[in-house]
Coordinates of all heavy atoms in Angstrom, one line a residue:
M1 N 154.4 -210.1 76.9 CA 153.1 -209.9 76.4 C 152.3 -209.0 77.3 O 152.3 -209.3 78.5 CB 152.4 -211.3 76.3 CG 151.1 -211.2 75.7 SD 150.2 -212.8 75.7 CE 151.2 -213.6 74.4
E2 N 151.7 -208.0 76.8 CA 150.9 -207.1 77.7 C 149.6 -207.7 78.1 O 148.9 -208.3 77.2 CB 150.7 -205.7 77.1 CG 149.9 -205.7 75.8 CD 149.8 -204.3 75.2 OE1 149.3 -203.4 76.0 OE2 150.2 -204.1 74.1
E3 N 149.1 -207.4 79.2 CA 147.9 -207.9 79.7 C 146.7 -207.0 79.2 O 146.6 -205.9 79.8 CB 147.9 -208.1 81.2 CG 148.8 -209.2 81.6 CD 148.3 -210.5 81.3 OE1 147.1 -210.8 81.1 OE2 149.2 -211.5 81.1
T4 N 146.0 -207.3 78.2 CA 144.9 -206.4 77.7 C 143.4 -206.8 78.1 O 142.6 -206.2 77.8 CB 145.1 -206.2 76.2 OG1 145.0 -207.5 75.6 CG2 146.4 -205.5 75.9
T5 N 143.5 -208.1 78.5 CA 142.1 -208.7 78.9 C 142.1 -209.2 80.3 O 143.1 -209.2 80.9 CB 141.7 -209.8 78.0 OG1 142.7 -210.9 78.1 CG2 141.8 -209.3 76.5
D6 N 140.9 -209.5 80.7 CA 140.9 -210.1 82.1 C 140.7 -211.5 82.1 O 140.1 -212.0 83.1 CB 139.6 -209.4 82.8 CG 138.3 -209.7 82.1 OD1 138.3 -210.2 81.0 OD2 137.3 -209.2 82.6
I7 N 141.1 -212.3 81.1 CA 140.9 -213.7 81.0 C 141.8 -214.3 82.1 O 142.9 -213.7 82.5 CB 141.3 -214.3 79.7 CG1 142.7 -214.0 79.3 CG2 140.3 -213.8 78.6 CD1 143.1 -214.7 78.0
N8 N 141.3 -215.3 82.7 CA 142.0 -216.0 83.8 C 142.9 -217.1 83.4 O 142.5 -218.1 82.9 CB 140.9 -216.6 84.8 CG 141.5 -217.2 86.0 OD1 142.8 -217.3 86.2 ND2 140.6 -217.5 87.0
R9 N 144.2 -216.8 83.3 CA 145.2 -217.7 82.8 C 145.3 -218.9 83.7 O 145.9 -219.9 83.3 CB 146.5 -217.0 82.6 CG 146.4 -216.0 81.5 CD 147.7 -215.3 81.1 NE 147.5 -214.5 80.0 CZ 147.7 -214.9 78.7 NH1 148.1 -216.1 78.4 NH2 147.5 -214.0 77.7
E10 N 144.8 -218.9 84.9 CA 144.9 -220.0 85.7 C 144.0 -221.2 85.3 O 144.2 -222.3 85.6 CB 144.6 -219.7 87.2 CG 145.7 -218.8 87.8 CD 145.4 -218.5 89.3 OE1 144.5 -219.1 89.8 OE2 146.2 -217.8 89.9
L11 N 143.0 -220.8 84.4 CA 142.1 -221.8 83.9 C 142.6 -222.3 82.5 O 142.0 -223.1 81.9 CB 140.7 -221.2 83.6 CG 139.9 -220.8 84.9 CD1 138.6 -220.2 84.6 CD2 139.7 -222.0 85.8
M12 N 143.8 -221.9 82.1 CA 144.4 -222.2 80.8 C 144.7 -223.7 80.7 O 145.4 -224.2 81.7 CB 145.5 -221.3 80.5 CG 145.7 -221.1 79.0 SD 146.6 -219.6 78.7 CE 147.9 -220.3 77.7
L13 N 144.4 -224.4 79.7 CA 144.8 -225.7 79.5 C 146.0 -225.7 78.5 O 146.2 -224.9 77.6 CB 143.7 -226.6 78.8 CG 142.5 -226.8 79.6 CD1 141.5 -227.5 78.7 CD2 142.8 -227.7 80.8
D14 N 146.8 -226.8 78.6 CA 147.7 -227.1 77.5 C 146.9 -227.4 76.2 O 145.9 -228.1 76.4 CB 148.6 -228.3 77.9 CG 149.7 -228.5 76.8 OD1 149.4 -229.3 75.9 OD2 150.7 -228.0 77.1
A15 N 147.3 -227.0 75.0 CA 146.6 -227.2 73.8 C 146.4 -228.7 73.6 O 145.3 -229.3 73.1 CB 147.3 -226.6 72.6
N16 N 147.3 -229.4 74.0 CA 147.3 -231.0 73.8 C 146.1 -231.5 74.7 O 145.6 -232.7 74.3 CB 148.6 -231.6 74.2 CG 149.7 -231.2 73.1 OD1 149.3 -231.1 72.0 ND2 150.9 -231.1 73.6
A17 N 145.8 -230.9 75.7 CA 144.7 -231.3 76.5 C 143.4 -231.4 75.8 O 142.4 -232.2 76.1 CB 144.6 -230.6 77.9
T18 N 143.2 -230.5 74.8 CA 141.9 -230.4 74.1 C 142.0 -231.4 72.8 O 141.0 -231.4 72.1 CB 141.6 -229.0 73.7 OG1 142.7 -228.5 72.8 CG2 141.5 -228.1 74.8
A19 N 143.2 -231.8 72.5 CA 143.4 -232.7 71.3 C 142.4 -233.8 71.2 O 141.8 -234.1 70.2 CB 144.9 -233.1 71.1
G20 N 142.2 -234.5 72.3 CA 141.4 -235.7 72.3 C 139.9 -235.3 72.1 O 139.2 -236.0 71.4
V21 N 139.5 -234.2 72.7 CA 138.1 -233.8 72.5 C 137.9 -233.4 71.0 O 136.9 -233.6 70.4 CB 137.8 -232.5 73.4 CG1 136.4 -232.0 73.0 CG2 137.9 -232.9 74.8
L22 N 138.9 -232.6 70.4 CA 138.7 -232.2 69.1 C 138.7 -233.4 68.1 O 138.0 -233.4 67.2 CB 139.9 -231.3 68.7 CG 139.9 -229.9 69.4 CD1 141.2 -229.2 69.1 CD2 138.7 -229.1 69.0
Y23 N 139.6 -234.4 68.4 CA 139.5 -235.6 67.6 C 138.3 -236.4 67.7 O 137.7 -236.8 66.7 CB 140.7 -236.6 68.1 CG 140.9 -237.7 67.2 CD1 141.7 -237.7 66.0 CD2 140.2 -239.0 67.4 CE1 141.8 -238.8 65.2 CE2 140.4 -240.1 66.7 CZ 141.2 -240.0 65.5 OH 141.3 -241.0 64.7
E24 N 137.6 -236.3 68.9 CA 136.4 -237.0 69.0 C 135.3 -236.4 68.2 O 134.4 -237.0 67.6 CB 136.0 -237.0 70.6 CG 134.8 -237.7 71.0 CD 134.5 -237.6 72.4 OE1 135.4 -237.6 73.3 OE2 133.3 -237.5 72.7
I25 N 135.3 -235.0 68.2 CA 134.4 -234.3 67.4 C 134.5 -234.3 65.9 O 133.6 -234.6 65.2 CB 134.3 -232.7 67.9 CG1 133.8 -232.7 69.3 CG2 133.4 -231.9 67.0 CD1 134.2 -231.3 70.0
F26 N 135.7 -234.0 65.5 CA 136.0 -233.9 64.0 C 136.4 -235.3 63.3 O 136.4 -235.4 62.2 CB 137.0 -232.8 63.8 CG 136.6 -231.5 64.2 CD1 137.1 -230.8 65.3 CD2 135.7 -230.8 63.4 CE1 136.6 -229.6 65.6 CE2 135.3 -229.5 63.7 CZ 135.7 -228.8 64.9
G27 N 136.9 -236.1 64.2 CA 137.3 -237.4 63.6 C 138.6 -237.5 63.0 O 139.1 -238.4 62.3
V28 N 139.3 -236.3 63.0 CA 140.7 -236.2 62.5 C 141.5 -235.4 63.4 O 141.0 -234.7 64.3 CB 140.7 -235.4 61.1 CG1 140.0 -236.3 60.0 CG2 140.1 -234.1 61.2
E29 N 142.8 -235.6 63.3 CA 143.7 -234.8 64.2 C 143.7 -233.4 63.8 O 143.8 -232.9 62.6 CB 145.1 -235.4 64.0 CG 146.2 -234.6 64.7 CD 146.1 -234.5 66.1 OE1 145.6 -235.4 66.8 OE2 146.2 -233.3 66.7
M30 N 143.3 -232.4 64.8 CA 143.0 -231.0 64.5 C 144.2 -230.1 64.9 O 144.3 -229.0 64.6 CB 141.8 -230.6 65.2 CG 140.5 -231.2 64.6 SD 140.2 -230.6 62.9 CE 139.8 -228.9 63.1
T31 N 145.1 -230.6 65.8 CA 145.9 -229.7 66.4 C 146.9 -229.0 65.4 O 147.3 -227.9 65.6 CB 146.8 -230.3 67.5 OG1 147.4 -231.5 67.1 CG2 145.9 -230.6 68.8
A32 N 147.1 -229.7 64.4 CA 148.1 -229.2 63.3 C 147.4 -228.5 62.1 O 148.0 -228.1 61.2 CB 149.1 -230.3 62.8
S33 N 146.1 -228.6 62.2 CA 145.3 -227.9 61.2 C 145.2 -226.4 61.3 O 145.2 -225.8 62.4 CB 143.8 -228.4 61.3 OG 143.7 -229.8 60.8
P34 N 145.2 -225.7 60.1 CA 145.2 -224.2 60.2 C 143.8 -223.7 60.4 O 142.8 -224.2 60.1 CB 145.8 -223.8 58.8 CG 145.3 -225.0 57.9 CD 145.4 -226.2 58.8
T35 N 143.9 -222.5 61.1 CA 142.5 -221.8 61.2 C 142.8 -220.3 61.2 O 144.1 -219.9 61.2 CB 141.8 -222.2 62.5 OG1 140.5 -221.6 62.5 CG2 142.5 -221.7 63.7
E36 N 141.8 -219.6 61.1 CA 142.0 -218.1 61.0 C 141.0 -217.4 61.9 O 139.9 -217.6 61.9 CB 141.9 -217.5 59.5 CG 142.1 -216.1 59.5 CD 141.9 -215.6 57.9 OE1 142.1 -216.4 57.1 OE2 141.7 -214.3 57.8
C37 N 141.6 -216.5 62.8 CA 140.8 -215.7 63.6 C 139.8 -214.7 63.0 O 140.4 -213.9 62.1 CB 141.6 -215.1 64.7 SG 140.8 -213.8 65.8
A38 N 138.6 -214.8 63.2 CA 137.6 -213.8 62.5 C 137.7 -212.4 63.0 O 137.4 -211.4 62.3 CB 136.2 -214.3 62.7
H39 N 138.4 -212.3 64.2 CA 138.6 -210.9 64.7 C 139.7 -210.2 64.2 O 139.7 -209.1 63.7 CB 138.6 -211.1 66.2 CG 138.6 -209.7 66.9 ND1 137.5 -209.0 67.1 CD2 139.6 -209.2 67.6 CE1 137.8 -207.8 67.7 NE2 139.1 -207.9 68.1
C40 N 140.9 -210.8 64.3 CA 142.1 -210.1 63.9 C 142.8 -210.7 62.6 O 143.8 -210.1 62.2 CB 143.1 -210.1 65.1 SG 143.9 -211.7 65.4
G41 N 142.3 -211.8 62.1 CA 142.9 -212.3 60.9 C 144.2 -213.2 61.1 O 144.8 -213.6 60.1
N42 N 144.5 -213.3 62.4 CA 145.7 -214.2 62.6 C 145.5 -215.6 62.3 O 144.5 -216.2 62.5 CB 146.0 -214.1 64.2 CG 147.2 -215.1 64.5 OD1 148.3 -214.8 64.0 ND2 147.0 -215.9 65.5
E43 N 146.5 -216.2 61.5 CA 146.3 -217.5 61.0 C 147.3 -218.3 61.8 O 148.5 -218.0 62.0 CB 146.6 -217.7 59.5 CG 145.6 -217.1 58.7 CD 145.7 -217.3 57.2 OE1 145.5 -218.4 56.7 OE2 146.3 -216.3 56.5
G44 N 146.9 -219.5 62.2 CA 147.8 -220.4 63.0 C 147.1 -221.8 63.1 O 146.1 -222.0 62.6
E45 N 147.9 -222.7 63.7 CA 147.3 -224.1 64.0 C 146.4 -224.0 65.2 O 146.5 -223.3 66.0 CB 148.4 -225.0 64.3 CG 149.4 -225.0 63.2 CD 150.7 -226.0 63.5 OE1 150.8 -226.4 64.7 OE2 151.4 -226.3 62.6
V46 N 145.4 -224.9 65.0 CA 144.4 -225.0 66.2 C 145.1 -225.2 67.4 O 144.7 -224.8 68.5 CB 143.4 -226.2 65.8 CG1 142.5 -226.4 67.0 CG2 142.5 -225.7 64.6
G47 N 146.1 -226.0 67.4 CA 146.9 -226.4 68.7 C 147.6 -225.3 69.3 O 148.0 -225.3 70.4
A48 N 147.7 -224.1 68.5 CA 148.3 -222.9 69.0 C 147.4 -221.9 69.7 O 147.8 -221.0 70.3 CB 149.1 -222.2 67.9
L49 N 146.1 -222.3 69.7 CA 145.1 -221.4 70.3 C 145.2 -221.7 71.8 O 145.7 -222.7 72.3 CB 143.7 -221.9 69.8 CG 143.4 -221.7 68.4 CD1 142.1 -222.4 68.0 CD2 143.3 -220.2 68.0
L50 N 144.7 -220.7 72.5 CA 144.7 -220.7 73.9 C 143.5 -221.4 74.4 O 142.4 -221.0 74.1 CB 144.8 -219.3 74.5 CG 145.9 -218.3 74.0 CD1 145.8 -216.9 74.6 CD2 147.3 -219.0 74.3
A51 N 143.6 -222.5 75.2 CA 142.5 -223.3 75.6 C 142.2 -223.0 77.0 O 143.0 -223.0 77.8 CB 142.7 -224.8 75.5
F52 N 140.9 -222.9 77.3 CA 140.5 -222.6 78.7 C 139.2 -223.5 79.0 O 138.4 -223.7 78.1 CB 140.0 -221.2 78.9 CG 141.1 -220.1 78.6 CD1 141.4 -219.6 77.4 CD2 141.7 -219.6 79.7 CE1 142.4 -218.8 77.2 CE2 142.8 -218.7 79.4 CZ 143.1 -218.3 78.2
V53 N 139.1 -223.9 80.2 CA 137.9 -224.5 80.7 C 137.1 -223.4 81.5 O 137.6 -222.9 82.5 CB 138.2 -225.7 81.5 CG1 138.4 -227.0 80.7 CG2 139.4 -225.6 82.4
Q54 N 136.0 -223.1 81.0 CA 135.1 -222.1 81.6 C 133.7 -222.7 81.6 O 133.1 -222.9 80.6 CB 135.2 -220.8 80.8 CG 136.5 -220.2 80.9 CD 136.6 -218.9 79.9 OE1 136.0 -218.9 78.9 NE2 137.5 -217.9 80.3
G55 N 133.2 -222.9 82.9 CA 131.9 -223.5 83.0 C 131.9 -224.9 82.4 O 132.8 -225.7 82.6
P56 N 130.8 -225.2 81.6 CA 130.6 -226.5 81.1 C 131.4 -226.9 79.9 O 131.3 -228.0 79.4 CB 129.1 -226.6 80.8 CG 128.8 -225.1 80.4 CD 129.8 -224.2 81.1
G57 N 132.1 -226.0 79.3 CA 132.8 -226.3 78.0 C 134.2 -225.9 78.0 O 134.9 -225.6 78.9
I58 N 134.7 -226.1 76.7 CA 136.1 -225.7 76.4 C 136.1 -224.4 75.6 O 135.3 -224.4 74.5 CB 136.9 -226.9 75.8 CG1 137.0 -228.0 76.7 CG2 138.2 -226.4 75.2 CD1 137.6 -229.3 76.0
V59 N 136.9 -223.4 75.8 CA 136.9 -222.2 74.9 C 138.3 -222.1 74.4 O 139.3 -222.2 75.1 CB 136.6 -221.0 75.8 CG1 136.8 -219.7 75.0 CG2 135.2 -221.0 76.3
L60 N 138.4 -222.0 73.1 CA 139.8 -221.8 72.5 C 139.8 -220.4 72.0 O 139.0 -219.9 71.2 CB 140.0 -222.8 71.3 CG 139.8 -224.3 71.6 CD1 140.0 -225.1 70.3 CD2 141.0 -224.6 72.6
R61 N 140.9 -219.7 72.5 CA 141.0 -218.3 72.1 C 142.2 -218.0 71.2 O 143.2 -218.8 71.3 CB 141.2 -217.4 73.5 CG 139.9 -217.4 74.2 CD 140.3 -216.6 75.6 NE 139.0 -216.5 76.3 CZ 138.2 -215.5 76.3 NH1 138.4 -214.5 75.4 NH2 137.1 -215.5 77.0
C62 N 142.1 -217.0 70.5 CA 143.2 -216.5 69.6 C 144.4 -216.2 70.4 O 144.3 -215.4 71.4 CB 142.7 -215.4 68.7 SG 144.1 -214.7 67.8
S63 N 145.5 -216.7 70.0 CA 146.8 -216.4 70.8 C 147.3 -215.0 70.5 O 148.2 -214.5 71.3 CB 147.9 -217.4 70.4 OG 148.1 -217.3 69.0
T64 N 146.7 -214.3 69.5 CA 147.1 -212.9 69.3 C 146.2 -211.9 69.9 O 146.7 -211.0 70.7 CB 147.2 -212.6 67.7 OG1 148.1 -213.6 67.1 CG2 147.6 -211.2 67.5
C65 N 144.9 -211.9 69.7 CA 144.0 -211.0 70.2 C 143.0 -211.5 71.3 O 142.4 -210.8 72.0 CB 143.1 -210.5 69.1 SG 141.8 -211.7 68.5
E66 N 143.2 -212.8 71.6 CA 142.5 -213.5 72.7 C 141.0 -213.5 72.6 O 140.3 -213.8 73.6 CB 142.9 -212.8 74.1 CG 144.3 -213.1 74.4 CD 144.8 -212.6 75.7 OE1 144.0 -211.8 76.4 OE2 145.9 -213.0 76.2
N67 N 140.4 -213.2 71.4 CA 139.1 -213.4 71.1 C 138.7 -214.8 71.0 O 139.6 -215.6 70.6 CB 138.6 -212.7 69.8 CG 138.0 -211.3 70.1 OD1 138.6 -210.4 70.7 ND2 136.6 -211.3 69.7
V68 N 137.5 -215.2 71.3 CA 137.1 -216.6 71.3 C 136.9 -217.0 69.8 O 136.3 -216.4 69.0 CB 135.8 -216.8 72.0 CG1 135.2 -218.3 71.8 CG2 135.7 -216.4 73.4
V69 N 137.7 -218.2 69.5 CA 137.7 -218.7 68.1 C 136.7 -219.8 68.1 O 135.9 -219.9 67.3 CB 139.1 -219.2 67.7 CG1 139.0 -219.8 66.2 CG2 140.1 -218.0 67.7
L70 N 136.8 -220.8 69.0 CA 136.0 -221.9 69.1 C 135.5 -222.2 70.5 O 136.2 -221.9 71.5 CB 136.7 -223.2 68.7 CG 137.1 -223.4 67.3 CD1 138.0 -224.7 67.1 CD2 135.9 -223.5 66.4
R71 N 134.2 -222.5 70.6 CA 133.6 -222.8 71.9 C 132.9 -224.2 71.8 O 132.2 -224.5 70.9 CB 132.6 -221.8 72.4 CG 132.0 -222.1 73.7 CD 131.0 -220.9 74.0 NE 131.7 -219.7 74.4 CZ 131.6 -218.5 73.8 NH1 130.8 -218.4 72.8 NH2 132.2 -217.5 74.3
I72 N 133.3 -225.2 72.7 CA 132.8 -226.6 72.6 C 132.1 -226.9 73.9 O 132.7 -226.8 74.9 CB 134.0 -227.5 72.4 CG1 134.7 -227.2 71.1 CG2 133.4 -229.0 72.3 CD1 136.1 -227.9 70.9
V73 N 130.9 -227.3 73.8 CA 130.1 -227.8 75.0 C 129.6 -229.1 74.8 O 129.0 -229.4 73.7 CB 129.0 -226.8 75.4 CG1 128.2 -227.3 76.6 CG2 129.5 -225.4 75.7
Q74 N 129.8 -230.1 75.5 CA 129.4 -231.5 75.4 C 128.4 -231.8 76.5 O 128.7 -231.5 77.7 CB 130.5 -232.4 75.4 CG 131.4 -232.3 74.2 CD 132.6 -233.3 74.2 OE1 133.4 -233.3 75.1 NE2 132.6 -234.2 73.2
T75 N 127.3 -232.2 76.1 CA 126.2 -232.7 77.1 C 126.1 -234.2 76.8 O 126.7 -234.7 75.8 CB 124.8 -232.1 76.7 OG1 124.4 -232.6 75.5 CG2 125.0 -230.6 76.6
P76 N 125.4 -235.0 77.7 CA 125.3 -236.4 77.4 C 124.7 -236.8 76.1 O 124.9 -237.8 75.6 CB 124.4 -236.8 78.6 CG 124.7 -235.8 79.7 CD 124.9 -234.5 78.9
E77 N 123.9 -235.9 75.6 CA 123.2 -236.2 74.2 C 123.9 -235.6 73.1 O 123.7 -236.1 71.9 CB 121.7 -235.6 74.4 CG 120.8 -236.1 75.3 CD 121.0 -235.5 76.8 OE1 121.5 -234.4 76.8 OE2 120.7 -236.3 77.7
A78 N 124.6 -234.5 73.2 CA 125.1 -233.9 71.9 C 126.4 -233.0 72.3 O 126.8 -232.8 73.4 CB 124.1 -233.0 71.4
T79 N 127.1 -232.7 71.3 CA 128.2 -231.7 71.3 C 127.8 -230.5 70.6 O 127.3 -230.6 69.5 CB 129.3 -232.3 70.6 OG1 129.9 -233.5 71.3 CG2 130.6 -231.4 70.6
Y80 N 127.9 -229.3 71.3 CA 127.7 -228.0 70.6 C 129.0 -227.3 70.3 O 129.9 -227.3 71.2 CB 126.9 -227.2 71.6 CG 125.5 -227.7 72.0 CD1 125.4 -228.7 72.9 CD2 124.4 -227.2 71.3 CE1 124.1 -229.2 73.2 CE2 123.1 -227.8 71.5 CZ 123.1 -228.8 72.5 OH 121.8 -229.2 72.8
L81 N 129.1 -226.9 69.1 CA 130.3 -226.3 68.5 C 129.9 -225.0 68.0 O 129.2 -224.7 67.1 CB 131.0 -227.1 67.4 CG 132.2 -226.6 66.7 CD1 133.4 -226.5 67.7 CD2 132.5 -227.4 65.5
D82 N 130.5 -223.9 68.7 CA 130.3 -222.5 68.3 C 131.7 -222.1 67.7 O 132.7 -222.0 68.3 CB 130.1 -221.7 69.5 CG 130.0 -220.2 69.2 OD1 130.4 -219.8 68.1 OD2 129.7 -219.4 70.1
A83 N 131.6 -221.9 66.3 CA 132.9 -221.7 65.6 C 132.8 -220.2 64.9 O 133.5 -219.9 63.9 CB 133.1 -222.8 64.6
R84 N 132.0 -219.4 65.4 CA 131.8 -218.1 64.7 C 133.0 -217.2 64.8 O 133.1 -216.2 64.1 CB 130.5 -217.4 65.4 CG 130.8 -216.7 66.7 CD 129.5 -216.0 67.3 NE 129.0 -217.1 68.2 CZ 127.9 -216.7 69.0 NH1 127.4 -215.5 69.0 NH2 127.4 -217.6 69.9
G85 N 133.9 -217.6 65.7 CA 135.1 -216.8 65.9 C 136.3 -217.2 64.8 O 137.3 -216.6 64.9
A86 N 135.9 -218.2 64.1 CA 136.9 -218.6 63.1 C 136.4 -218.3 61.7 O 135.3 -218.5 61.3 CB 137.1 -220.2 63.3
V87 N 137.4 -217.8 60.9 CA 137.0 -217.6 59.4 C 136.7 -219.0 58.7 O 135.9 -219.1 58.0 CB 138.1 -216.9 58.8 CG1 137.9 -216.7 57.2 CG2 138.3 -215.5 59.3
Y88 N 137.7 -220.0 59.1 CA 137.5 -221.3 58.7 C 138.2 -222.3 59.5 O 139.0 -221.9 60.3 CB 138.1 -221.4 57.2 CG 139.6 -221.3 57.2 CD1 140.4 -222.4 57.3 CD2 140.2 -220.0 56.9 CE1 141.8 -222.3 57.3 CE2 141.5 -219.9 57.0 CZ 142.4 -221.0 57.1 OH 143.8 -220.9 57.2
L89 N 137.9 -223.5 59.3 CA 138.5 -224.7 60.0 C 138.9 -225.6 58.9 O 138.1 -225.9 58.0 CB 137.7 -225.4 61.1 CG 137.4 -224.7 62.3 CD1 136.3 -225.3 63.1 CD2 138.7 -224.7 63.2
R90 N 140.1 -226.2 58.9 CA 140.5 -227.1 57.9 C 140.5 -228.5 58.4 O 141.1 -228.7 59.4 CB 141.8 -226.8 57.2 CG 142.3 -227.6 56.2 CD 143.6 -227.2 55.7 NE 144.2 -228.0 54.6 CZ 144.8 -229.2 54.9 NH1 145.0 -229.7 56.1 NH2 145.2 -230.0 53.9
L91 N 139.7 -229.4 57.7 CA 139.6 -230.8 58.2 C 140.3 -231.6 57.1 O 139.8 -231.6 56.0 CB 138.2 -231.3 58.5 CG 137.6 -230.9 59.7 CD1 137.3 -229.4 59.9 CD2 136.3 -231.7 60.0
A92 N 141.4 -232.2 57.5 CA 142.1 -233.0 56.4 C 141.2 -234.3 56.1 O 140.4 -234.8 56.8 CB 143.4 -233.5 57.0
R93 N 141.3 -234.6 54.7 CA 140.5 -235.7 54.2 C 141.4 -236.9 54.1 O 142.6 -236.8 54.0 CB 139.9 -235.3 52.9 CG 138.9 -234.2 53.0 CD 138.5 -233.7 51.5 NE 137.9 -234.7 50.8 CZ 137.3 -234.5 49.6 NH1 137.3 -233.4 49.1 NH2 136.7 -235.6 49.0
Ligands
ZN101 ZN1 142.7 -213.0 66.8

């Protein structure tokens, strides 16, 4: 894989490390759910996104173009979810 960005791979998490946080937020198992990158159109499972801890939150990036798909910040009072990088998220019923 060619290095086209300056993201710090040493901060990369295993996708499963974020599964618990995602479950807490959405109330369903998310790692096998499909999503689509709004930047490059790559479709894949949430669990296949590249997960990083940067500052106070978790950042999930597209495994193809490395653009941010989801950003999650949790404070003592609330959870902030920035999903503008995703065309959609699928939550199983
Ligand atoms: Zn992408």
Side-chain angles (χ1 to χ4, degrees):
M1 183 184 289
E2 65 179 303
E3 292 293 332
T4 56
T5 64
D6 60 356
I7 59 176
N8 187 348
R9 287 182 179 274
E10 290 183 3
L11 292 175
M12 209 162 124
L13 292 175
D14 185 272
N16 290 325
T18 60
V21 174
L22 293 171
Y23 186 86
E24 187 181 322
I25 293 168
F26 294 105
V28 293
E29 172 56 42
M30 288 298 289
T31 50
S33 288
T35 188
E36 181 178 340
C37 174
H39 183 73
C40 75
N42 179 53
E43 291 186 80
E45 296 178 351
V46 170
L49 297 172
L50 307 177
F52 296 85
V53 272
Q54 294 171 327
I58 294 172
V59 174
L60 299 178
R61 291 176 177 270
C62 174
S63 60
T64 300
C65 72
E66 296 185 347
N67 260 62
V68 175
V69 176
L70 289 174
R71 184 179 282 119
I72 300 159
V73 176
Q74 292 183 298
T75 71
E77 295 82 25
T79 297
Y80 294 83
L81 177 67
D82 173 354
R84 79 185 91 170
V87 175
Y88 68 88
L89 285 169
R90 180 180 179 277
L91 280 70
R93 297 172 59 174

